[in-house]
Amino acid sequence: MASNPDFVQYIIDQCCGAGEITARKMFGDWCVYCNGKPFALVCDNGFYVKPTEAGRKMLRVEDMRPPYEEAKPHFYIEDVDDRDYLSALVKVTCAELPAPKPKNKKR
């Protein structure tokens, strides 16, 4: 089941204190980016953040779940209503994640 676009927009709005938050539809669900860096997925109306040590220290409840079948476990964030908490979590997570690899230009 794909995620509701209204829920995806809600996640974007809730995380906007961390930087420029965007989302792209991928394989029926969504990848969420902060300043161009992918940090989370929205799958089946659930919010899944890539695991980092800094993020782990901030979590109120650590709940590791795969966002889709055969995926690596991510932090499942159930409480998406606290904007300050989500923005802070996104900031510390993105600070620890590597920069995205540059895309090869097509010739």
Side-chain angles (χ1 to χ4, degrees), residues 8-9 16 18 52 58 66:
V8 176
Q9 186 60 52
C16 70
T52 62
M58 280 203 63

Side-chain angles (χ1 to χ4, degrees), residues 6-20:
D6 291 336
F7 180 74
V8 176
Q9 186 60 52
Y10 182 72
I11 294 296
I12 291 170
D13 294 343
Q14 290 298 92
C15 297
C16 70
E20 181 186 355

